[in-house]
């Protein structure tokens, strides 16, 4: 029954975010794997709409934060406010205390703001002054980046990139989908919105996460995931050309993310076991932001996705 509820949620997201099935699946994988999502794509591709639709489909509070160069950490975390009537300071919580956070154009904020978000993502808590405050148990950050504009931006450091479970790339829809989008927005303007199923409770989300963790994963597939990640750290063992392209490989977080996301994908498909195809399907999105390529790769125009495809071809499938 729980899988059916998530299947209905996926159908609802797809009806609201047309032509972006990888984005809607990625959001559900992050929700089930208890991780965060980095989405890269041009503006106007329904990234905000996707998280807002998720908030409609689950029992959760949603907040959008527009990141700008003048943003301060307190604008995210909240701050201590002096109360004259009591003569004491009281903590006023910030937008991070919602369940679903859209960090729009995250790379436009300076390092101090990014570090405040990093603590929230990594520890599910924020520190203000001498006090630390816990964030909600259900806490998911979807951050967006615009690949077209790089002027006036602050590139995310590798440590923060590694905190994201998935890095998705979205692109413009085709002409048929564009026509559907046009008709959908027209129907919404006439208040002809589709009927959505009852929201999934947070208790059901936490129960689904436990079911995902209990899925059967063969020992051979555990070794397969480890070898895929080790190929990014010891590429010379597989190919001299691969070694010339990879400067730094992925951390153990990549292996953990591969495990969580492949399990979540199998669970969404209604299976109680993980297949090699599940691992391969999430491999690019899990590893895309965790590799640092060499200058030689950049000079040859080699992308991270091309390197990851080569790794999948070189590492033997059990």
């Amino acid at each position: 029954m729980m899988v059916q509820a998530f299947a209905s949620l996926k159908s609802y997201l797809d009806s609201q975010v047309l032509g972006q099935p990888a984005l809607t699946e990625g959001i559900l994988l992050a929700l089930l794997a208890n991780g965060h999502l980095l989405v890269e794509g041009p503006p106007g591709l329904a990234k905000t709409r996707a998280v807002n639709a998720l908030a409609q489909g689950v029992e959760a509070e949603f907040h959008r934060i527009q990141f700008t160069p003048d943003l301060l950490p307190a604008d995210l975390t909240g701050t201590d406010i002096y109360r004259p009537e009591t003569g004491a300071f009281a903590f006023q919580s910030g937008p991070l205390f919602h369940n679903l956070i859209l960090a729009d154009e995250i790379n436009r904020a300076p390092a101090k703001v990014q570090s405040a978000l990093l603590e929230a993502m990594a520890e599910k808590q924020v520190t203000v002054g001498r006090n630390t405050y816990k964030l909600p148990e259900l806490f998911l950050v979807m951050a967006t980046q615009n690949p077209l504009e790089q002027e006036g931006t602050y590139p995310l450091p590798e440590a923060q990139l590694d905190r994201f479970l998935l890095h998705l790339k979205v692109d413009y829809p085709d002409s048929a989908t564009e026509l559907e989008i046009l008709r959908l927005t027209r129907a919404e303007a006439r208040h002809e919105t589709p009927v959505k199923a009852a929201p999934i409770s947070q208790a059901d989300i936490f129960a689904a996460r436990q079911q995902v963790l209990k899925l059967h994963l063969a020992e051979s597939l555990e070794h397969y995931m480890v070898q895929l990640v080790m190929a990014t750290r010891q590429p010379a063992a597989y190919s001299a050309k691969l070694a010339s392209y990879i400067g730094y490989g992925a951390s153990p977080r990549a292996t953990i993310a591969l495990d969580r996301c492949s399990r979540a994908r199998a669970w969404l498909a209604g299976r109680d076991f993980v297949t090699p195809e599940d691992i391969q399907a999430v491999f690019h999105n899990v590893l895309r932001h965790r590799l640092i390529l060499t200058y030689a790769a950049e000079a040859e125009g080699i992308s991270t996705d091309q390197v990851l495809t080569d790794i999948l071809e070189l590492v033997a499938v059990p």
Side-chain angles (χ1 to χ4, degrees):
M1 286 295 292
M2 209 173 295
V3 175
Q4 293 175 355
F6 275 83
S8 298
L9 176 58
K10 176 70 163 64
S11 297
Y12 174 68
L13 293 179
D14 286 336
S15 73
Q16 296 298 298
V17 186
L18 303 177
Q20 302 290 358
L23 174 59
T24 56
E25 182 185 57
I27 289 174
L28 291 183
L29 292 181
L31 184 67
L32 288 167
N34 194 16
H36 308 288
L37 197 62
L38 178 63
V39 181
E40 186 174 317
L45 295 184
K47 298 184 287 289
T48 304
R49 183 184 178 92
V51 185
N52 204 4
L54 178 64
Q56 300 297 318
V58 301
E59 290 181 356
E61 295 180 341
F62 164 67
H63 194 94
R64 175 182 177 273
I65 308 170
Q66 180 64 53
F67 278 56
T68 56
D70 60 348
L71 204 67
L72 298 174
D75 295 328
L76 302 183
T77 61
T79 188
D80 291 323
I81 304 293
Y82 180 71
R83 305 291 187 189
E85 61 272 17
T86 61
F89 285 90
F91 178 65
Q92 180 69 45
S93 61
L96 284 184
F97 285 82
H98 292 74
N99 303 114
L100 306 177
I101 304 295
L102 177 66
D104 215 358
E105 295 189 289
I106 185 175
N107 54 335
R108 292 204 174 278
K112 283 187 176 181
V113 177
Q114 292 182 6
S115 65
L117 183 64
L118 174 61
E119 181 190 7
M121 291 168 54
E123 310 296 338
K124 290 195 175 179
Q125 66 182 31
V126 298
T127 301
V128 178
R130 298 180 179 179
N131 298 316
T132 298
Y133 303 93
K134 289 290 184 183
L135 294 172
E137 187 176 357
L138 177 62
F139 181 69
L140 186 152
V141 173
M142 176 172 145
T144 71
Q145 287 190 145
N146 180 356
L148 303 179
E149 290 185 61
Q150 298 302 326
E151 187 175 345
T153 61
Y154 302 81
L156 296 178
E158 284 71 23
Q160 185 162 343
L161 283 172
D162 203 31
R163 298 290 183 178
F164 286 100
L165 182 79
L166 298 167
H167 177 192
L168 304 181
K169 288 190 174 182
V170 295
D171 207 347
Y172 291 115
D174 57 29
S175 58
T177 305
E178 191 95 7
L179 185 59
E180 290 183 45
I181 293 171
L182 181 64
R183 290 169 177 168
L184 175 62
T185 54
R186 189 186 303 136
E188 287 180 338
R190 297 195 299 259
H191 305 289
E192 298 171 358
T193 54
V195 178
K196 63 179 183 293
I200 299 174
S201 68
Q202 293 190 21
D204 283 345
I205 293 173
F206 300 142
R209 287 176 177 177
Q210 291 303 311
Q211 290 184 13
V212 167
L213 292 173
K214 292 177 182 177
L215 254 63
H216 175 69
L217 178 66
E219 186 176 347
S220 60
L221 291 185
E222 288 182 329
H223 288 292
Y224 180 51
M225 288 191 294
V226 170
Q227 290 307 311
L228 286 172
V229 175
M230 293 302 294
T232 70
R233 301 179 206 162
Q234 302 168 359
Y238 294 88
S239 163
K241 181 173 284 188
L242 191 65
S244 70
Y245 291 156
I246 300 178
Y248 291 92
S251 76
R253 287 197 190 100
T255 313
I256 297 170
L258 265 182
D259 175 68
R260 293 286 183 88
C261 291
S262 58
R263 287 173 179 272
R265 185 178 185 273
W267 186 87
L268 283 172
R271 285 183 274 107
D272 60 357
F273 59 92
V274 179
T275 67
E277 290 73 24
D278 292 319
I279 298 169
Q280 294 162 358
V282 301
F283 182 68
H284 285 74
N285 292 336
V286 168
L287 272 291
R288 180 176 289 126
H289 54 301
R290 304 179 196 270
L291 299 187
I292 299 178
L293 302 187
T294 62
Y295 290 117
E298 293 179 9
E300 292 183 36
I302 302 297
S303 69
T304 306
D305 283 351
Q306 289 174 277
V307 171
L308 294 174
T309 299
D310 289 344
I311 290 174
L312 284 178
E313 293 174 353
L314 291 168
V315 177
V317 181

